Amino acid sequence: MGAGMCVPKRLVTNEDMERIVDTTDEWIVERTGIHARRVISGDESNASLAASACLEALSKSGVNPREIDMIIVGTNSPDTLLPGVGPTIQGMIDAPDAGGMDIQAGCPGSLYAMAAAAGGIASGIWNRVLAVGSEAFTRMVDWEHRSTCILFGDGAGAVVMGEWRPGLPRLSNIDLKADGKKHDMIVIPAGMAAEPASPETVRDRRHFVKMNGADVFKFANRKIPPYLENFCASCGITPKEVDWWIFHQANIRILQGISQRMGIPSEKLIVNLDRYGNTSAASIMICLYEAMTDGRIKSGQRVVMTSFGAGMTYGAALIEC
Ligand code: UT7
C-alpha cells in the first residue's frame, strides 16, 4: 500500500476568514482547533487534486497506472455530477485498463472506497485498485455562513491496494455503518432531483451545505466511542493495543471527546485539522499519508482509521503495518 496526497496551493488562514465573515481567529481555534485550510483556485479542481494524489501513490508503490483495474473515489464534492471524478482521473493518470467510479457516502467515503476495493480484490474481480478520498468541499459551503465556512478545506489522499504480501501494510478489518434516520443532519437541499436549480433555490442559498453542527457534534461523541470499542473487539484487540488513531478531522473537541471517553492518550492521535480543516472524505487519507511518510507509523504497528459524516454514515478500518 503506497499513499499519496495533494492539497491546493491557496492557504486561507483564520485571519483571512475574519475578513470574509464575522468571526475571530480566537473563536475558530478555541471551538474547532483549526488555524488554516487550503482552498482550490485557478485551474485546480477535485479531479486535479485526486489525480496528483493517485500519481504519487502509484509512484510510491512502484505500480504503473496501466496495472490499475479500478479507481474508486470517495467524494461529496465532485466537479460535476456527470462525469464522476473516478472516470475523469482515469484519463488524467493514463490508466487505460481501469474502471472509474465515485462513492458518495459523506466523510467516510474514503473508508467506503477502501472497503469496495478490498472486496473486489478479495473476490478476484480486480488485482490493483486506487482508493481515493478527494474533495473540493469549499465550493459547496456558504461563504456567508460563519459556522460552516470556517470548518472546511479541500484536498485529496489516495492509496494503491492489492493482494496482501508479507512486509506490506494489511487492511485486516473494515466495517461500514449508517444511521439513515438522521439523514437530514447534513444536507445540500437543492440542485438535484428533489429541488432542481431555480432562481428561488439560488436566492435562498439552498445549493450550499446546511448542517446541524450541534447535533453532529453529539452524534460523534455518543456514537463513535462504543462503536470503536465493538470494532476493536471484533478485530480481537483492545483499544489500548492500537498504536495510532486516525479520526476524521472534524473538530479537535470531537477528537478530544472521543479519545477521552475511550482512554486514548492524545499522543496516539494523528491530527492535521489545524493546517487543513475538515477535508471531508479526504481527511483520514491525508492523515494516513502524512503519518506514513514522516515515519510516525512504523512497521508492525496497528492503525485504526474512523470517520463519520453526512448520511449519517460512519465506519472504521484496522491497518496492520
Ligand atoms: O464532517 C462532519 C461534519 N461536521 C462536523 O463535524 C461539525 C460538528 N460540529 C461542530 O464542529 C460545532 O458544532 C461547530 C464548530 C459547527 C459550532 O461550534 P459550537 O461550539 O457548537 O457553537 P454553536 O453552534 O453552539 O454557536 C455558539 C455561538 C453562537 O452564538 P450565540 O447564538 O451563542 O450568540 C454562534 O452564532 O457561536 C456563534 N458562532 C460563531 N462565532 C464566531 C458560530 N460560528 C461562529 C464563528 N465565529 N465562526
Side-chain angles (χ1 to χ4, degrees):
M1 187 192 272
M5 72 167 271
C6 180
V7 289
K9 288 186 285 293
R10 185 174 163 218
L11 179 77
V12 175
T13 63
N14 290 348
E15 287 73 24
D16 297 325
M17 295 304 303
E18 289 176 0
R19 288 187 281 276
I20 299 169
V21 284
D22 178 17
T23 191
T24 60
D25 172 52
E26 193 187 5
W27 192 96
I28 301 173
V29 172
E30 197 180 298
R31 298 295 182 111
T32 71
I34 297 166
H35 291 260
R37 70 287 294 144
R38 298 296 183 101
V39 174
I40 57 165
S41 61
D43 57 5
E44 290 172 327
S45 63
N46 184 321
S48 75
L49 302 179
S52 295
C54 287
L55 288 172
E56 183 179 3
L58 288 162
S59 141
K60 291 249 167 76
S61 313
V63 171
N64 189 297
R66 294 178 171 270
E67 297 173 71
I68 295 295
D69 301 308
M70 178 53 71
I71 302 167
I72 310 176
V73 182
T75 187
N76 304 288
S77 52
D79 297 312
T80 51
L81 195 63
L82 295 173
V85 180
T88 305
I89 63 174
Q90 187 261 15
M92 292 167 80
I93 67 170
D94 198 16
D97 292 329
M101 63 172 154
D102 293 1
I103 290 184
Q104 191 212 339
C107 299
S110 46
L111 279 181
Y112 276 67
M114 287 170 78
I121 292 163
S123 67
I125 301 173
W126 305 316
N127 287 319
R128 289 212 170 83
V129 181
L130 274 162
V132 189
S134 184
E135 300 284 8
F137 210 79
T138 61
R139 294 280 166 97
M140 322 302 283
V141 298
D142 185 344
W143 285 81
E144 293 183 7
H145 190 258
R146 64 181 181 171
S147 65
T148 45
C149 70
I150 51 106
L151 292 174
F152 293 97
D154 301 327
V159 288
V160 178
M161 293 174 60
E163 197 184 356
W164 179 75
R165 292 193 310 278
L168 291 179
R170 177 185 204 159
L171 176 63
S172 48
N173 197 8
I174 190 158
D175 181 68
L176 307 173
K177 293 273 186 288
D179 187 350
K181 291 204 162 55
K182 299 189 169 63
H183 68 270
D184 55 358
M185 267 190 198
I186 308 173
V187 293
I188 298 180
M192 288 297 303
E195 274 189 59
S198 69
E200 289 73 32
T201 60
V202 173
R203 181 197 64 206
D204 297 340
R205 310 183 76 74
R206 292 178 64 74
H207 301 87
F208 296 121
V209 174
K210 315 278 176 205
M211 177 176 69
N212 187 331
D215 282 353
V216 176
F217 197 91
K218 281 184 226 152
F219 175 90
N221 275 293
R222 287 178 189 159
K223 197 101 179 181
I224 300 301
Y227 169 69
L228 288 176
E229 302 271 0
N230 285 337
F231 176 73
C232 286
S234 74
C235 298
I237 58 171
T238 66
K240 284 200 168 46
E241 292 175 283
V242 175
D243 298 292
W244 293 104
W245 291 89
I246 299 182
F247 290 133
H248 170 46
Q249 303 290 295
N251 181 324
I252 195 69
R253 288 157 55 219
I254 294 178
L255 273 62
Q256 287 163 348
I258 296 173
S259 54
Q260 279 161 16
R261 275 171 199 229
M262 293 182 67
I264 299 169
S266 57
E267 310 82 71
K268 285 191 172 186
L269 302 184
I270 310 277
V271 179
N272 64 20
L273 60 79
D274 51 325
R275 288 173 288 136
Y276 304 130
N278 177 346
T279 56
S280 190
S283 92
I284 56 173
M285 288 292 212
I286 296 175
C287 282
L288 179 68
Y289 169 90
E290 291 195 332
M292 281 173 77
T293 307
D294 66 19
R296 266 176 292 174
I297 297 176
K298 296 187 174 50
S299 180
Q301 292 190 322
R302 289 195 186 97
V303 181
V304 169
M305 299 168 78
T306 183
S307 185
F308 58 88
M312 294 292 286
T313 54
Y314 54 106
L318 170 66
I319 300 174
E320 297 185 280
C321 293

